[in-house]
């Protein structure tokens, strides 16, 4: 079994049972306790579970990692996902792009395109894309969240509902094994839901650390996406859910 596969199974086991001891994980995977401790430390640092003395439990579902930390975490994976998405976005198309460090990375990749019209509630995305003279960049109105430049609130949601675009590019905080899309901020989720409803195609962007990650607000279901762009194949339960929903799984190399 590969390291990534073991990590995915650990996250899945912890998600199903709430807590797993080092002893139980050692026996399950037939590896040394030192190996499991390293695995748990890595997964804790990624925010995918919480490392406790003697084992691991569910990570906090009420608070996201700090923005500065999220910007640099899994950057290589985000860049590969971004490049793959940019290849699929036609020139002269209309886009929604929501809040998140993954979508900011995608915005940088989209600078290679031509003639895009982009509606966003992410000030960082707008700043990146407005450097192109042939792009039209539209900022949603609303309250600016100072910690990450996200624009949220009822006014933002109402603004989004004025449009119908070709593609929505959506970042997400977590994807549960049953396909539920999860996030941390209720107001942010309401805007993302409106974006999905008013888009012809929905490109969901999520690196492998989002699979099985806890967050307390339900945004929607994977079946609402037309494509899931990620860097490695999800664990079997989620892979089955994606296939049953008819979502196109695109793994960035």
């Amino acid at each position: 079994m590969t390291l990534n596969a073991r990590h995915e199974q650990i996250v899945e086991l912890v998600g199903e049972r709430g807590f797993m001891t080092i002893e139980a994980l050692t026996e399950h995977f037939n590896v040394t306790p030192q190996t499991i401790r390293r695995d748990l430390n890595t997964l804790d640092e990624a925010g995918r579970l919480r490392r406790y003395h003697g084992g691991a439990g569910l990570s906090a579902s009420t608070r996201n990692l700090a923005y500065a930390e999220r910007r640099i975490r899994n950057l290589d994976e985000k860049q590969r996902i971004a490049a793959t998405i940019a290849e699929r976005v036609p020139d002269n198309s209309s886009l929604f792009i929501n809040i998140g460090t993954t979508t900011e990375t995608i915005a940088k990749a989209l600078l290679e395109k031509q003639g895009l019209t982009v509606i966003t509630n992410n000030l960082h995305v707008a700043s990146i894309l407005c450097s192109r003279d042939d792009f039209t960049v539209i900022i949603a109105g609303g309250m600016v969240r100072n910690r990450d430049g996200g624009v949220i609130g009822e006014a933002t949601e109402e603004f989004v509902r004025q449009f119908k675009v070709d593609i929505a590019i959506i970042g997400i905080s977590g994807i549960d094994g049953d396909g539920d899309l999860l996030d941390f901020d209720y107001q942010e989720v309401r805007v993302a839901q409106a974006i999905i409803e008013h888009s012809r195609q929905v490109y969901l962007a999520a690196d492998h650390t989002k699979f099985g990650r806890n967050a307390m607000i339900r945004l929607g279901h994977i079946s609402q996406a037309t494509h899931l762009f990620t860097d490695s194949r999800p664990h079997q339960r989620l892979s089955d859910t994606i296939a049953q929903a008819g979502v196109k799984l695109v793994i960035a190399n």
Side-chain angles (χ1 to χ4, degrees):
M1 179 182 293
T2 66
L3 179 64
N4 283 341
R6 189 170 68 245
H7 284 182
E8 295 302 324
Q9 287 196 25
I10 290 173
V11 171
E12 189 172 7
L13 286 167
V14 171
E16 290 174 352
R17 304 181 190 182
F19 187 88
M20 288 289 290
T21 66
I22 289 174
E23 181 180 2
L25 290 168
T26 298
E27 182 176 347
H28 181 87
F29 293 103
N30 193 28
V31 295
T32 66
Q34 290 78 9
T35 296
I36 293 298
R37 290 190 184 98
R38 286 195 296 270
D39 290 340
L40 298 185
N41 288 337
T42 298
L43 292 168
D44 181 273
E45 290 171 3
R48 303 190 67 193
L49 48 72
R50 182 64 58 85
R51 173 83 155 87
Y52 296 102
H53 179 72
L58 299 175
S59 59
S61 63
T62 58
R63 183 176 299 178
N64 204 355
L65 298 171
Y67 173 74
E69 184 176 356
R70 286 186 284 122
R71 283 189 68 189
I72 61 175
R73 187 178 292 273
N74 303 312
L75 183 57
D76 178 68
E77 290 89 340
K78 291 175 183 176
Q79 289 173 336
R80 285 189 279 127
I81 292 168
T84 303
I85 287 178
E87 291 174 357
R88 302 289 185 102
V89 172
D91 291 334
N92 304 305
S93 56
S94 58
L95 311 173
F96 278 128
I97 302 179
N98 80 329
I99 300 170
T101 57
T102 299
T103 52
E104 291 167 21
T105 306
I106 294 166
K108 294 175 183 176
L110 290 173
L111 291 173
E112 302 300 320
K113 311 304 293 187
Q114 296 182 357
L116 298 181
T117 297
V118 179
I119 305 155
T120 183
N121 63 325
N122 185 330
L123 294 184
H124 298 296
V125 165
S127 178
I128 291 164
L129 295 177
C130 71
S131 63
R132 284 290 301 267
D133 292 340
D134 62 328
F135 284 11
T136 299
V137 181
I138 303 170
I139 284 281
M143 180 181 67
V144 177
R145 196 167 59 188
N146 58 12
R147 69 175 182 265
D148 62 0
V151 183
I152 56 175
E154 291 183 7
T156 317
E157 183 183 347
E158 291 174 7
F159 183 87
V160 164
R161 292 188 182 279
Q162 298 179 81
F163 301 91
K164 184 68 174 285
V165 304
D166 298 321
I167 302 169
I169 299 176
I170 299 288
I172 193 71
S173 294
I175 306 177
D176 211 353
D178 61 4
D180 279 344
L181 308 178
L182 306 174
D183 224 308
F184 292 91
D185 188 301
Y186 176 74
Q187 291 181 304
E188 179 180 344
V189 161
R190 290 292 300 271
V191 176
Q193 289 169 338
I195 287 173
I196 289 171
E197 291 170 12
H198 288 255
S199 303
R200 296 180 180 88
Q201 296 188 79
V202 177
Y203 288 4
L204 186 65
D207 68 70
H208 69 277
T209 65
K210 307 299 176 63
F211 303 147
R213 186 180 181 214
N214 285 332
M216 67 176 292
I217 311 296
R218 185 182 184 274
L219 188 155
H221 192 266
I222 189 69
S223 58
Q224 294 172 269
T226 55
H227 299 71
L228 171 60
F229 292 84
T230 186
D231 60 294
S232 64
R233 183 169 294 279
H235 56 75
Q236 192 59 53
R237 181 187 177 199
L238 181 54
S239 292
D240 291 344
T241 300
I242 292 167
Q244 290 166 7
V247 177
K248 176 68 174 177
L249 179 63
V250 182
I251 299 176
N253 297 316

